[in-house]
Amino acid sequence: DITSYKLVSHTGVPYYNIVGKPQILKEIDLESIIKKHTKDIKPYKQKPYKKGLGFDTLTYSDVHIGMDTDKYKNSMYPIKWNREEALKSCDIMIQKTLDNKQNDMLVVDELGDLLDGFDAKTTRGGHELPQNMTNEEAFDCALEFKIRLFEGLISHYKYVQFNNICNDNHAGSFGYMVNAAFKQIKAGYDITNYRQFINHYFINDVCFVITHGKDDKTLKFGFKPQLDPKTIEKIDQYCKHNGIYNRSKRIIFKKGDSHQTLFNMCGSDDFDYYNYPALSPSSQWVQNNFKKGRTGFVLESFDGIESTIKTIFIN
């Protein structure tokens, strides 16, 4: 199970830095968890939605299920974030989405970091994380969160599409496993789990380019909240490579990760640059290095390429 090893000899005492394959499947009883959420499931095929009509979107990010904001009992802002609070936030999202319903089609974008980590570490394995759930508890809670959101929304729209980012710096493969189980349980519905760092999809004349903002392996520094020339060039190259400019009248780049709400519609002439808030509260590290922050999600309504934005803050 060892993938690489390296002798580190410049220290006082030489040692080997050994990297092994994560043993997720051996530790988590996935079968029993999934069976718990698959009661009375019947085969289903969602009917297609007529193109050209308006649609609503719900976008949330950085749920960080399993994160403990006050593990050492000395946090500046000891906000509770456990299963109960995560599901309570899910219920708020459901209710606010229905309260603001404008169209019969809904697109739900989850922009990554659904879980806080695996074995109390980030996807790269080197960053320790204070957590309040075991791997199995976090998996179970995250899957319950996804299904609860689905069940609360699906009967109120003629068509619902779910897009899940599964390449990020906290959840990584663990988040993909939750979303893969979610897709399997809700087979027949429009659910896409994206594994690339940057992805895109089209609805009518609008192209949504979606990412978490950081990836699971290569990026030490991801997309910043503020749009800069380097970021513009990277997004521009992605759009050109995928022929997006020729196929859409409006392009919206959507990211999470920064735990900030910022919608930039004039930094580029070619696309909008949207940062979405975190649904979870700030970790103790973020609290101490930056500030308490605000949690929330975003609702948008589209009529052609025109749209309205409504940010819902919870805390």
Side-chain angles (χ1 to χ4, degrees), residues 277-289:
L279 191 66
S280 69
S282 299
S283 65
Q284 185 172 7
W285 184 88
V286 171
Q287 293 174 20
N288 291 346
N289 282 276

Side-chain angles (χ1 to χ4, degrees), residues 32-44:
S32 64
I33 294 175
I34 292 174
K35 281 183 177 179
K36 185 176 75 173
H37 296 284
T38 54
K39 298 176 182 177
D40 304 321
I41 288 185
K42 299 177 181 179
Y44 181 81

Side-chain angles (χ1 to χ4, degrees), residues 187-223:
Y189 289 91
D190 190 347
I191 300 173
T192 305
N193 298 327
Y194 292 99
R195 290 289 295 130
Q196 290 186 184
F197 170 50
I198 305 177
N199 313 267
H200 68 278
Y201 64 90
F202 296 89
I203 299 182
N204 300 328
D205 292 324
V206 184
C207 179
F208 297 94
V209 183
I210 59 175
T211 180
H212 174 61
K214 291 193 185 82
D215 75 340
D216 55 358
K217 291 182 176 66
T218 59
L219 287 171
K220 185 175 182 181
F221 303 104
F223 286 111

Side-chain angles (χ1 to χ4, degrees), residues 126-194:
H127 184 182
E128 293 284 346
L129 301 168
Q131 296 186 344
N132 56 16
M133 296 184 189
T134 65
N135 293 333
E136 194 163 45
E137 289 170 340
F139 183 95
D140 194 9
C141 179
L143 185 55
E144 183 177 2
F145 180 98
K146 301 290 293 193
I147 293 174
R148 192 185 191 105
L149 184 63
F150 176 95
E151 297 291 355
L153 296 171
I154 196 68
S155 63
H156 297 276
Y157 294 85
K158 291 183 179 179
Y159 194 91
V160 182
Q161 174 179 319
F162 294 85
N163 302 297
N164 306 305
I165 292 293
C166 302
N167 189 328
D168 49 41
N169 57 315
H170 274 261
S173 296
F174 198 22
Y176 173 77
M177 292 169 64
V178 171
N179 280 308
F182 169 57
K183 183 174 181 176
Q184 180 182 354
I185 292 170
K186 297 302 180 183
Y189 289 91
D190 190 347
I191 300 173
T192 305
N193 298 327
Y194 292 99

Side-chain angles (χ1 to χ4, degrees), residues 18-205:
I18 300 174
V19 178
K21 297 178 182 177
Q23 301 300 305
I24 296 178
L25 292 175
K26 294 181 180 179
E27 180 168 342
I28 301 177
D29 186 2
L30 297 179
E31 186 175 356
S32 64
I33 294 175
I34 292 174
K35 281 183 177 179
K36 185 176 75 173
H37 296 284
T38 54
K39 298 176 182 177
D40 304 321
I41 288 185
K42 299 177 181 179
Y44 181 81
K45 181 63 177 178
Q46 189 171 215
K47 295 179 181 179
Y49 189 66
K50 186 178 180 180
K51 292 183 178 180
L53 298 179
F55 60 96
D56 298 338
T57 68
L58 162 63
T59 307
Y60 68 98
S61 185
D62 296 271
V63 186
H64 287 276
I65 288 174
M67 176 181 65
D68 194 334
T69 64
D70 192 27
K71 185 172 184 176
Y72 307 109
K73 309 305 178 187
N74 62 352
S75 175
M76 294 174 61
Y77 310 105
I79 301 172
K80 186 183 295 184
W81 190 243
N82 52 21
R83 174 183 172 276
E84 180 182 354
E85 294 301 317
L87 296 180
K88 187 186 297 183
S89 294
C90 180
D91 290 339
I92 294 173
M93 280 204 301
I94 293 169
Q95 190 58 55
K96 290 295 184 180
T97 301
L98 299 180
D99 290 344
N100 290 275
K101 180 176 181 290
Q102 298 292 320
N103 296 284
D104 287 329
M105 178 179 180
L106 175 67
V107 180
V108 182
D109 283 345
E110 183 234 302
L111 299 181
D113 277 2
L114 174 64
L115 299 108
D116 194 50
F118 180 79
D119 275 346
K121 291 183 176 66
T122 58
T123 58
R124 295 174 179 87
H127 184 182
E128 293 284 346
L129 301 168
Q131 296 186 344
N132 56 16
M133 296 184 189
T134 65
N135 293 333
E136 194 163 45
E137 289 170 340
F139 183 95
D140 194 9
C141 179
L143 185 55
E144 183 177 2
F145 180 98
K146 301 290 293 193
I147 293 174
R148 192 185 191 105
L149 184 63
F150 176 95
E151 297 291 355
L153 296 171
I154 196 68
S155 63
H156 297 276
Y157 294 85
K158 291 183 179 179
Y159 194 91
V160 182
Q161 174 179 319
F162 294 85
N163 302 297
N164 306 305
I165 292 293
C166 302
N167 189 328
D168 49 41
N169 57 315
H170 274 261
S173 296
F174 198 22
Y176 173 77
M177 292 169 64
V178 171
N179 280 308
F182 169 57
K183 183 174 181 176
Q184 180 182 354
I185 292 170
K186 297 302 180 183
Y189 289 91
D190 190 347
I191 300 173
T192 305
N193 298 327
Y194 292 99
R195 290 289 295 130
Q196 290 186 184
F197 170 50
I198 305 177
N199 313 267
H200 68 278
Y201 64 90
F202 296 89
I203 299 182
N204 300 328
D205 292 324

Side-chain angles (χ1 to χ4, degrees), residues 59-62 111 211-213 222-228 231 252-265 272-278 296-298 300 309 311 313:
T59 307
Y60 68 98
S61 185
D62 296 271
L111 299 181
T211 180
H212 174 61
F223 286 111
K224 300 176 182 178
Q226 299 286 352
L227 191 60
D228 58 21
T231 302
I252 301 176
F253 183 88
K254 305 176 66 171
K255 64 174 286 290
D257 180 58
S258 301
H259 293 223
Q260 297 184 45
T261 310
L262 182 62
F263 304 117
N264 187 336
M265 303 173 193
D272 299 334
Y273 189 75
Y274 287 4
N275 291 263
Y276 290 84
F297 54 94
V298 176
E300 295 163 78
I309 301 175
T311 303
F313 289 115

